[in-house]
Amino acid sequence: MIGLIGAMDIEVNGITERMTDKSTEIISGIRFTRGKLGNTECVTAKCGIGKVNAAVCAQTMILTYHPECIINTGIAGSTCRKTHIGHVVIAKAVIQHDMDTTIIGDRPAELFLHDEKIVEIPCSDELIAKLENACDRVGEKNHVTGIVATGDQFIGGNEKRTSLNERFGAIACEMEGGSIGQVCRINKLPFAVLRCISDSMSSEEDCIEYSTFSRLAADKTIDIITEFAK
């Protein structure tokens, strides 16, 4: 079974609509829909925006449905000049840019897990390869792999976006993937993050770009996830 998590309706509903043999239940206030994409068993959930919502959703999904892997899907903002609106980003690793205990000597974005300290949480190489193949099969040529930065902030303005790229090598930013990655790391579960750029570094009008292109970007990830599940 594949676990699929998005933050908003536009990131999840299109996937759920394509599923068959569906059943739904609400756990921890989150609606989980179980069914099939093609012949593949899946469970989807809209976690809500932000790291805590995403972490609660991921842990609940793991304990209830025991997926073989989890993919966080949806939209993101660009943090470099090579990712533009409509480009697909597949994370090779995730970081939580708003985690900061540097004042006591830790590294920027360093996380404290049960048995390790880590900055970059690596995604599954196997899932990355399968998502890249799915992009190719749907004709999506503009897909890149790199670090995705997560934090409880909507990052606007080129200065802040550039800072994430310079400090962490991030090519995109969002608000859930890093915490889902942390939960999966703790549970020793493979995970991946698939995002499509809805707002770029080409303009300071981030909110206008986001409102205009978020649905288009979300639809791209839905097509790729559907192909991936095959």
Side-chain angles (χ1 to χ4, degrees):
M1 175 184 285
I2 301 170
L4 301 167
I5 298 175
M8 301 180 292
D9 285 329
I10 61 170
E11 298 170 329
V12 175
N13 284 355
I15 299 172
T16 304
E17 289 168 2
R18 300 182 188 189
M19 292 167 63
T20 59
D21 303 326
K22 291 181 283 190
S23 62
T24 299
E25 59 183 332
I26 297 176
I27 309 169
S28 302
I30 301 164
R31 182 181 299 276
F32 293 90
T33 301
R34 182 173 185 168
K36 291 183 178 181
L37 276 174
N39 293 319
T40 302
E41 290 278 351
C42 299
V43 58
T44 65
K46 182 189 80 170
C47 63
I49 295 170
K51 295 198 301 181
V52 174
N53 284 333
V56 169
C57 181
Q59 188 63 57
T60 303
M61 179 179 281
I62 291 168
L63 293 176
T64 306
Y65 297 98
H66 311 289
E68 298 172 16
C69 64
I70 287 179
I71 299 175
N72 173 224
T73 182
I75 60 179
S78 174
T79 56
C80 71
R81 296 290 180 182
K82 71 177 181 179
T83 49
H84 304 288
I85 290 172
H87 283 194
V88 172
V89 170
I90 301 169
K92 71 175 183 180
V94 291
I95 62 103
Q96 295 182 37
H97 64 81
D98 57 351
M99 182 68 180
D100 187 355
T101 54
T102 54
I103 196 170
I104 58 173
D106 297 314
R107 294 173 293 173
E110 189 163 54
L111 301 173
F112 301 82
L113 308 188
H114 299 318
D115 56 358
E116 65 178 335
K117 295 167 70 174
I118 191 170
V119 174
E120 295 182 10
I121 301 177
C123 298
S124 161
D125 289 336
E126 181 180 355
L127 292 176
I128 291 170
K130 289 181 176 180
L131 287 169
E132 288 176 329
N133 287 337
C135 286
D136 293 337
R137 292 199 302 272
V138 300
E140 180 52 61
K141 297 180 179 180
N142 293 316
H143 59 87
V144 294
T145 303
I147 294 172
V148 172
T150 300
D152 280 327
Q153 304 166 21
F154 185 99
I155 303 297
N158 286 353
E159 182 177 352
K160 291 181 180 179
R161 293 171 186 256
T162 299
S163 175
L164 291 178
N165 180 260
E166 291 176 347
R167 292 175 66 201
F168 304 111
I171 62 172
C173 59
E174 37 87 301
M175 300 178 68
E176 296 82 30
S179 57
I180 292 172
Q182 181 174 346
V183 170
C184 289
R185 179 82 171 189
I186 291 168
N187 286 274
K188 304 186 187 316
L189 189 73
F191 82 99
V193 176
L194 173 73
R195 297 278 180 157
C196 185
I197 299 299
S198 61
D199 41 295
S200 71
M201 292 186 65
S202 62
S203 170
E204 294 295 321
E205 301 296 332
D206 304 287
C207 61
I208 295 175
E209 285 190 342
Y210 172 82
S211 299
T212 303
F213 296 107
S214 57
R215 181 166 294 280
L216 172 65
D219 287 344
K220 275 199 174 188
T221 64
I222 291 166
D223 288 340
I224 295 166
I225 288 294
T226 302
E227 186 63 31
F228 167 86
K230 296 179 181 179

